[in-house]
Structures are given as C-alpha cells and as structure tokens.
Amino acid sequence: MAETDINNGNEPLINHENNNNKVFNRCVSHQQDELHSFRKYLRWMCVDHSSLLTTTLSWTMFIIFTIVVPSISHFLLACADCDSYHSRPYDSVVQLSLSSVATVSFLCLTRFVSKYGLRRFLFFDKLWDESETVRRNYTNQLHTSLHIVSYFVIPCFTAMSAYKIWWYASGGSQIPFLGNVILSDTVACVMELCSWLYRTTVIFLVCVLFRLICHLQILRLHDFAQLFQIDSDVGSILSEHLRIRRHLRIISHRYRFFILCLLILVTGSQFSSLLITTKAYTEVNIYRAGELALCSMTLVTALLILLRSASKITHKAQAVTCLAAKWHVCATLESFEIADGETPTLVARNNNNNNKGHDVITIIESDSDDYGDEEDDLDNNNIIPAYAFSTISFQKRQALVTYFENNRAGITVYGFTLDRGTLHTIFGLELSLVLWLLGKTIGIS
C-alpha cells in the first residue's frame, strides 16, 4: 500500500513526524538558511513585512522618520533669525530630496518583499539549477552587500552627526519644548540623526539589492561562457541564454519604475540645488551648504550604483555576441583545416609555435599584462579551441550567432537599454541642462 501511494504521488515529500533534520525545511539546494542574517538586518531596519506586527512597526517608523521628523525639523526647529553660520536656507531642498527618494525606495522595497517574498525576489529559489560556483559566490556576495551598505551609510552619517552636534551645541536651536533647553536639543538632534540614518539606509539598501541581483546574472553569464569551451550542442546553449534573458527581463520589469523615479528625483534635486546656490548675492559656505552638499553626494552615489550595475550587466550580456562569433569563426576554420588534411590544425600550430619561439604565448601574455583584470570569460582576446566542436554543423552555428546578434539582452527601462551608449546620452543631456541653467543664472555663454 505504501508503495502504491508513492507511485501515485500521494505520499508527502517530507514526513513531519520523523523529521528531525531541519535541512528539509529549507531550500533543497542549500544546507542552511542563507537569508537568516539578511532577515535580521531587515527587522533591525524596521522594513520587515513578514507579519502584521512587523508591518505595522515598519510603516510607523517610515512615517515618523521620513515625514514627521523632517517636517518638524524644517518648520519648528529651524532658526529664522540665526547668524550666517547657523541659518539653513537650503533645508527645504535637503528634506524634500531625501524624503522623496526614501519614500520611493521604501514603497518599492515593500512591494518587492510583499509580492514576491525575499527568497524569490533575490532569485534564491532559482539557485538549485545553477552550478556550485554560482551558488557559493552569490551567497558570499549577499553577505558582502550588507557591508557595502554600511560603507556608504557610515561616512555620510558620521559627517552629518558632526554637523548636527556642532549646530545644536553652538546654539543653533533654543526651543525648550521639553522644559529644558539641553534636553530638548539632545532629543531633537538624536531624532534628526535617526531620520537621516533611516532614509539614507533605505535608499542605499534598495540600490545595493539591485547590484546584488545584477551580480548573480554576471556570475551566470560567466558560467554560460564555459559552454563554448566544452562539447555543448546548440540547443543547450540557446536554452541557457533564453533563461538568462528571461531573468534579465524580470529584473528590468521590477526595477524600471524605481530607476526612472530615482533618475528624475535626483536630477530635479541637483538642478534645484544648483539654482538656489548660483543666485545673485547668495552666500555659500560649508556651514550653510554643507548639509546640501552631503545630501547631493548621497543621492548621486545611489544613482551611480544603479546605473553602473545596469550598464555592467548589459555590457556582459551583449559581449555574448562577440564570444559566439569568435567561437563560430574558430570552429569554421578548424573544420576547413581538418578537411584540407595538409594544413596543420589550430592546436597543432599553437604547439609548433610554442616549441619554436613562443610567439603566440608572448602575444597573449603581453595583452594580459596590458589589460590586467579587465578581461574575463566573456570579453577577452583568447583563441577558443575548436577541435571539440567539429560535430556541430556550420548552419547551426551561424543560426546561433544570428540569434545573438538580433536578441541582445540587458537591463531595460521601458524599452530603453541601459548600456554605455545610453549613459553617455544621459550625461550629455544633463550637461546641456547644467550649462543652460548656469547661462541663465551667472551668465555662462
């Protein structure tokens, strides 16, 4: 009877009565919960939505530190009659810029985790089909990403803490809303610093998660490049590339709204900052504009993380076309030389050159010294040994190369591919607008 149930698929995969091994409660491709520390980090950041209690706490912290504290700081704690060192004429731009970007980041992160789940959103449910190298490197990169967030947040928070402590300690605010000036200033300073820390961490967290997901696709592309080094058929190569393209489309669809909103908000923030600091008779110094400069560096850095990650994965995905074309050429030349019977093969010529004068090796080593770490499995000048691909017909290889040429993968935003050409276009447009704005304010022609 038990054998019949097993054959009919009625027996559960896990017998909970005899399950003493917690390994079966987790992903079948891993022996431990890789996301345990990451979930703790989300709970510590109050952006965990796994239960009703944590969701309520998350939204409460978001409203307090993104809306309430910045509003109180701007309208109630600002010193209107302070000297030039303590006045904050650019506080409205700083608060609006940080709060708007943090709001978009929080809403996108909430939607990602609530709709897809953390494991599915980070593609950990797909790792069972990847190689051990991809799984190990991606898991290590997940833990590294938490450190990357701190690398960006801690310097900004340290600089902001020094500025706020100086501002309150030197008498910038004298509002005893708690009955005691020192206590009131201490509470106000701590709340402002917590608000700054919360908003910047949420912004960088979403950007670093995008970088993490793109890094997984880069690992998969490097693993995919190995298919051209072994005796793989065209069908398996095509199937693997279609799977990578599908995941890139999923990433593009999930992040396209966030990338576009961040680009618009950061651009608007920078042009607003430029406009108010270049007006006539405007006094700009580190005391008055230091907070604005720190805010601008934070937002621009977050945007650069997104654009660099998107352009990098797009460049790697498009380099597959060059790799396939080189593979096709090497295989075609090898097949003709084998059919000729008189001309030595590519491998034989390399061996002969190595024995005579090491001419080929010298060229390859000199190229490697020039490029350093810029070359990889996808973008290099190495010859692909084609003797293993003689069984693949010319028509199949040509069809595969044609497919790669007409189906370039990459990160897209509403149809626009985020490659290096697109980044150059964005930079040109931004520079043109900056020069136009400076021409209207300080008279640059």
Side-chain angles (χ1 to χ4, degrees):
M1 181 66 182
E3 183 178 358
T4 303
D5 291 339
I6 293 176
N7 295 331
N8 294 333
N10 296 326
E11 186 179 26
L13 295 177
I14 301 176
N15 188 358
H16 294 284
E17 296 179 357
N18 299 324
N19 182 23
N20 296 323
N21 190 354
K22 295 183 179 180
V23 172
F24 296 102
N25 292 329
R26 302 188 177 106
C27 180
V28 295
S29 62
H30 299 277
Q31 296 181 355
Q32 58 182 356
D33 189 1
E34 309 87 352
L35 299 176
H36 177 69
S37 60
F38 196 79
R39 290 192 179 99
K40 290 178 60 178
Y41 182 83
L42 293 181
R43 285 194 295 268
W44 178 79
M45 277 300 304
C46 298
V47 290
D48 182 23
H49 293 263
S50 58
S51 64
L52 180 61
L53 178 62
T54 56
T55 301
T56 304
L57 178 62
S58 176
W59 280 99
T60 302
M61 294 296 102
F62 166 74
I63 294 175
I64 291 176
F65 291 128
T66 308
I67 301 175
V68 176
V69 173
S71 300
I72 294 177
S73 173
H74 178 69
F75 292 105
L76 297 182
L77 300 181
C79 186
D81 54 349
C82 290
D83 55 17
S84 60
Y85 287 162
H86 294 85
S87 61
R88 299 193 295 182
Y90 313 122
D91 184 69
S92 58
V93 177
V94 172
Q95 302 298 344
L96 284 176
S97 300
L98 274 180
S99 294
S100 59
V101 177
T103 299
V104 173
S105 303
F106 178 82
L107 293 178
C108 290
L109 181 62
T110 301
R111 178 180 177 274
F112 294 154
V113 177
S114 301
K115 183 176 181 179
Y116 306 109
L118 189 60
R119 179 173 293 273
R120 182 184 172 192
F121 170 65
L122 296 178
F123 291 92
F124 269 90
D125 60 327
K126 306 295 183 182
L127 288 183
W128 63 271
D129 201 24
E130 306 296 339
S131 64
E132 180 63 27
T133 302
V134 174
R135 292 198 298 265
R136 182 178 62 254
N137 291 337
Y138 185 58
T139 304
N140 295 335
Q141 188 66 28
L142 172 67
H143 302 298
T144 306
S145 298
L146 300 180
H147 299 289
I148 294 176
V149 175
S150 63
Y151 294 157
F152 288 108
V153 172
I154 290 178
C156 297
F157 180 71
T158 303
M160 181 55 62
S161 299
Y163 174 79
K164 287 297 181 181
I165 292 174
W166 166 83
W167 194 83
Y168 279 97
S170 59
S173 176
Q174 299 290 336
I175 305 177
F177 57 91
L178 293 179
N180 184 277
V181 174
I182 298 178
L183 180 61
S184 301
D185 288 347
T186 302
V187 173
C189 180
V190 170
M191 293 300 292
E192 282 201 81
L193 291 177
C194 290
S195 175
W196 180 278
L197 178 63
Y198 177 84
R199 288 180 289 177
T200 53
T201 305
V202 170
I203 293 171
F204 281 117
L205 178 61
V206 180
C207 296
V208 171
L209 285 180
F210 176 76
R211 177 186 177 274
L212 172 66
I213 297 174
C214 289
H215 184 76
L216 171 62
Q217 308 310 314
I218 292 177
L219 292 175
R220 296 182 59 196
L221 284 172
H222 283 287
D223 209 38
F224 172 74
Q226 301 300 320
L227 294 178
F228 294 94
Q229 305 288 341
I230 60 178
D231 192 7
S232 301
D233 61 295
V234 174
S236 62
I237 296 176
L238 178 61
S239 176
E240 181 63 21
H241 188 263
L242 288 174
R243 193 165 68 96
I244 294 176
R245 288 187 71 245
R246 179 177 179 271
H247 287 180
L248 290 177
R249 286 198 300 268
I250 292 174
I251 298 173
S252 302
H253 180 77
R254 291 177 181 177
Y255 263 92
R256 60 184 181 180
F257 177 77
F258 177 73
I259 295 176
L260 182 61
C261 286
L262 190 63
L263 180 61
I264 294 175
L265 292 175
V266 173
T267 301
S269 172
Q270 299 311 300
F271 279 104
S272 300
S273 304
L274 183 63
L275 181 62
I276 61 178
T277 53
T278 55
K279 292 191 301 184
Y281 309 107
T282 300
E283 182 181 357
V284 179
N285 53 52
I286 191 174
Y287 302 100
R288 296 165 61 92
E291 191 173 1
L292 179 63
L294 188 58
C295 173
S296 299
M297 288 188 292
T298 301
L299 298 182
V300 170
T301 302
L303 180 61
L304 290 179
I305 293 175
L306 284 180
L307 296 181
R308 184 183 181 277
S309 301
S311 62
K312 186 176 181 179
I313 184 61
T314 302
H315 173 73
K316 295 289 185 181
Q318 293 179 355
V320 174
T321 303
C322 177
L323 180 64
K326 182 172 62 175
W327 165 76
H328 180 37
V329 169
C330 293
T332 303
L333 293 176
E334 184 74 12
S335 61
F336 275 104
E337 291 170 352
I338 293 176
D340 187 9
E342 297 180 357
T343 306
T345 62
L346 180 64
V347 178
R349 288 200 311 273
N350 289 341
N351 293 332
N352 292 334
N353 288 330
N354 292 341
N355 295 329
K356 291 180 179 179
H358 305 279
D359 295 335
V360 176
I361 295 238
T362 303
I363 295 175
I364 294 177
E365 287 181 352
S366 63
D367 289 343
S368 178
D369 293 339
D370 292 337
Y371 287 103
D373 296 333
E374 296 300 322
E375 288 193 344
D376 50 40
D377 295 333
L378 291 170
D379 189 9
N380 58 58
N381 296 323
N382 299 330
I383 298 295
I384 298 179
Y387 55 86
F389 307 113
S390 58
T391 59
I392 303 178
S393 64
F394 177 88
Q395 290 79 7
K396 289 183 178 181
R397 296 196 305 268
Q398 182 62 39
L400 184 64
V401 173
T402 304
Y403 161 78
F404 283 134
E405 291 176 348
N406 294 278
N407 293 271
R408 295 179 178 271
I411 302 297
T412 60
V413 177
Y414 296 101
F416 295 94
T417 304
L418 289 180
D419 54 5
R420 294 175 179 177
T422 304
L423 296 186
H424 295 162
T425 303
I426 294 175
F427 175 78
L429 292 176
E430 298 278 357
L431 182 61
S432 300
L433 292 175
V434 167
L435 295 177
W436 174 81
L437 182 61
L438 290 179
K440 296 296 183 180
T441 55
I442 61 178
I444 292 181
S445 59

